Amino acid sequence: MMKRWTAITLGTLLISSALTGCAGSSATTKSKEGKAGGVVDDPGEKITINLMTRSYAGGGWAPNHPMVEEINKRLNIDLKIEWVPSANYQEKLNVMAASNNFPDVFYAPKAEFVKWQSKDVFMNVRPELSKYPNIVKYIPEEAIKQFNPKEKYYGIPFYYQEVRDSLAIRKDWMDKLGLKMPETIDEFYEVAKAFAMKDPDGNGKQDTVGFSMEVNPGGAFGFGGTAAYLTTSFGLANNWTLDGNGKLIPMQTQAKELKDYIGFMRKAYAEGVLDKDSPILKSRDSLNKLEAGKSGIAPVNPQQLYVETIPPLLKTDPKAELVQLMPPKGTSGKSGIKSSTSGDKIVINSKIDAKKQQRILKLLDYMLSDEGYDFVKHGIEGVHYKKISDTKYEQLEASVKDRQFLLLGWFFKRFDPMFLIYKWMDPKEVATIKNYFDNNEKVKVKDAAAGLVSETATKLGANIDKKWMDTMVKIIAGQEPIDSIDKAIAEWKAAGGDKIIQEMNEEYQKVNQ
């Protein structure tokens, strides 16, 4: 939520001018919102749809990809997909904005979505959704509303799991050391200390760690690694919480809770229970240590458990056994996993023909239907998989080559934590993965300000958060005293935090009047 805007340059001013001109152009605008209302899509008319989204390792599909050809046939469209490398995506959007030349439907990151929604760039889909039952069924209305103005839906959410990763622990190490599954924060500490001090891997060296943290380079609070799953145990908010008077309070000002949490981490660091490398660890480093057999506790992605995590671990130790570890309860009985809110949207160009808008909505609705969702996930029967029996399927070689799931993974999908689970997978593994997600759902802790935006936070948040975070890391490493927390809070508030608190509460009151 607290991301820094780039400095205003001539380029961004030109973009803003182009978008403003776009909003007022009588040559391109037939009607403002709900333009598709009353238009009936003719399924017999073939319509070209230009779609743009991000791509990652391996890139996207070629134009003649079998999945594109099949979806064209099913919906009588000519789908042209532009796959833009994720590192260049924001730049690509800005170039398109400057030339007023957006695709028909595209992925819009939260920052651009919030920045451009008042410029008449995106179609308001709210009046149309009643025609598309699968969108209504599989996309929660609460998620659609987030980051949209009241009574307007300028986009449909791109799904990120609210709670994806979960802690896992080496059960074989616990068994070897005679330890039980930790349920409280004190028990967690004792288990982690044993993992660091008592040679759980039996190699005669003290070369294992208790648990790790990773420092977000952007400065947003929430240590990565195992430490991120302990904040709720000490009463810290997931970004924002409500006080007894219904006022939003940011985690950065929770002095007592911060002193308890940072004090715990400081002790763990001093005693060698917290990984000494923690201040320099970055994303995934704690999981790398788990997979290498050097750590016994780390967050894992359940969907990648049997693909990425367990195979290298078993190469290191064939007897290794991982099980889920729920966040330990603090002295007040609190525990939980912080849920996330992305704000990214799939948006439809407000300027395109109304018939095309309807066909795009039909495409999105089809992708969420039982038939369409099965198709965009598993591909074409007989090409990407084959049915062996009513309950057994086999993945075919073309699936590995074609990566038939890209449209689902990188563009649009149901709100479904199991979206990467395929029907040809081992049922026992699927059951374990589902159990991870089911358990996570029971303990998720929401951000009380999810979906709200502060202009000051957008401009200054990353800078003041980073400075605040730097102080927390120094305190944990013993370079500054615990009392520096009070100074860090005061500086955060004076540098823009007080204004952020004011703006966030104003936005909260608007939504909850």
Side-chain angles (χ1 to χ4, degrees), residues 6 15 30 53 118 135 207 211 215 269 276 292-293 319 335 365 376 382 389 409 420 427 466 474-476 509:
T6 54
I15 289 170
K30 295 182 180 179
T53 192
S118 64
I135 296 176
D207 58 353
F211 68 101
V215 178
Y269 189 83
K276 291 290 187 181
K319 296 181 180 179
S335 66
D365 192 72
V376 294
S389 68
L420 286 180
K466 186 179 185 306
K474 288 177 182 177
I475 297 170
I476 289 171
Q509 291 304 318

Side-chain angles (χ1 to χ4, degrees), residues 1-304:
M1 182 172 296
M2 297 185 178
K3 293 182 179 178
R4 179 173 49 186
W5 286 76
T6 54
I8 295 178
T9 63
L10 178 59
T12 55
L13 288 172
L14 288 172
I15 289 170
S16 178
S17 297
L19 292 173
T20 303
C22 167
S25 172
S26 60
T28 57
T29 306
K30 295 182 180 179
S31 63
K32 290 284 180 183
E33 295 173 4
K35 166 172 133 178
V39 174
V40 178
D41 178 39
D42 177 8
E45 179 183 356
K46 190 166 189 175
I47 292 179
T48 298
I49 295 174
N50 295 297
L51 182 157
M52 188 175 79
T53 192
R54 304 160 303 167
S55 66
Y56 296 90
W61 298 330
N64 62 345
H65 192 280
M67 288 293 290
V68 176
E69 293 180 346
E70 181 66 21
I71 204 165
N72 284 344
K73 188 193 317 179
R74 295 188 183 194
L75 295 175
N76 194 25
I77 59 177
D78 181 12
L79 182 62
K80 299 182 182 301
I81 306 176
E82 184 174 5
W83 307 91
V84 180
S86 60
N88 304 328
Y89 196 79
Q90 188 173 36
E91 179 185 359
K92 177 75 173 180
L93 282 178
N94 285 333
V95 170
M96 288 181 157
S99 61
N100 186 20
N101 185 29
F102 286 109
D104 300 327
V105 57
F106 58 101
Y107 165 85
K110 172 190 161 186
E112 282 67 35
F113 177 75
V114 171
K115 180 168 56 176
W116 294 339
Q117 63 181 218
S118 64
K119 306 293 186 182
D120 193 34
V121 174
F122 313 130
M123 174 190 179
N124 174 24
V125 300
R126 189 172 188 264
E128 307 301 318
L129 290 189
S130 60
K131 304 174 189 175
Y132 300 98
N134 294 301
I135 296 176
V136 173
K137 181 177 181 180
Y138 293 109
I139 307 294
E141 187 175 17
E142 177 188 1
I144 299 178
K145 288 180 177 179
Q146 287 176 343
F147 301 102
N148 266 306
K150 201 167 186 178
E151 306 298 329
K152 303 287 176 64
Y153 298 163
Y154 287 122
I156 302 173
F158 178 89
Y159 174 65
Y160 289 101
Q161 291 144 310
E162 280 190 312
V163 181
R164 189 193 72 176
D165 294 357
S166 172
L167 288 180
I169 189 168
R170 287 283 296 270
K171 183 178 182 300
D172 56 307
W173 282 11
M174 288 193 296
D175 292 343
K176 179 178 180 179
L177 299 177
L179 302 168
K180 67 174 185 176
M181 180 71 74
E183 296 181 0
T184 68
I185 197 69
D186 290 338
E187 292 170 352
F188 172 88
Y189 192 89
E190 291 307 311
V191 169
K193 188 172 184 177
F195 282 0
M197 307 296 177
K198 295 187 177 180
D199 191 24
D201 60 355
N203 68 354
K205 303 175 183 178
Q206 193 174 318
D207 58 353
T208 52
V209 300
F211 68 101
S212 300
M213 73 177 189
E214 297 163 0
V215 178
N216 185 319
F221 184 77
F223 293 111
T226 303
Y229 295 78
L230 308 179
T231 55
T232 304
S233 306
F234 293 88
L236 283 171
N238 177 8
N239 294 322
W240 295 83
T241 188
L242 290 170
D243 66 9
N245 298 315
K247 181 181 179 182
L248 287 171
I249 302 295
M251 170 278 308
Q252 289 88 344
T253 66
Q254 289 184 281
K256 179 187 181 304
E257 293 84 353
L258 282 169
K259 288 176 181 177
D260 290 344
Y261 174 71
I262 299 297
F264 173 88
M265 298 289 287
R266 181 186 176 96
K267 175 187 174 185
Y269 189 83
E271 295 184 355
V273 178
L274 175 61
D275 185 357
K276 291 290 187 181
D277 290 339
S278 288
I280 60 172
L281 294 183
K282 303 304 179 187
S283 177
R284 206 187 190 280
D285 283 350
S286 58
L287 180 56
N288 291 337
K289 293 197 174 196
L290 179 75
E291 293 173 353
K294 296 303 178 184
S295 174
I297 307 172
V300 299
N301 176 354
Q303 294 185 116
Q304 299 298 334

Side-chain angles (χ1 to χ4, degrees), residues 312-382:
L313 178 58
L314 290 178
K315 283 185 180 179
T316 302
D317 184 353
K319 296 181 180 179
E321 182 181 0
L322 282 179
V323 295
Q324 187 174 22
L325 170 62
M326 301 309 294
K329 291 182 172 61
T331 55
S332 65
K334 292 182 178 179
S335 66
I337 303 175
K338 295 183 293 184
S339 65
S340 61
T341 305
S342 77
D344 299 352
K345 306 283 186 179
I346 303 302
V347 297
I348 299 173
N349 191 327
S350 66
K351 303 299 179 296
I352 61 175
D353 183 79
K355 290 182 180 179
K356 183 176 287 193
Q357 290 177 341
Q358 293 285 7
R359 190 67 64 88
I360 290 170
L361 286 167
K362 184 177 180 180
L363 166 65
L364 298 179
D365 192 72
Y366 176 75
M367 289 178 67
L368 301 184
S369 69
D370 290 343
E371 176 190 308
Y373 196 64
D374 180 74
F375 166 64
V376 294
K377 178 189 280 196
H378 299 107
I380 305 166
E381 184 173 359

Side-chain angles (χ1 to χ4, degrees), residues 445-458:
V445 178
K446 292 196 172 187
D447 180 351
L452 304 181
V453 177
S454 156
E455 184 177 348
T456 302
T458 304

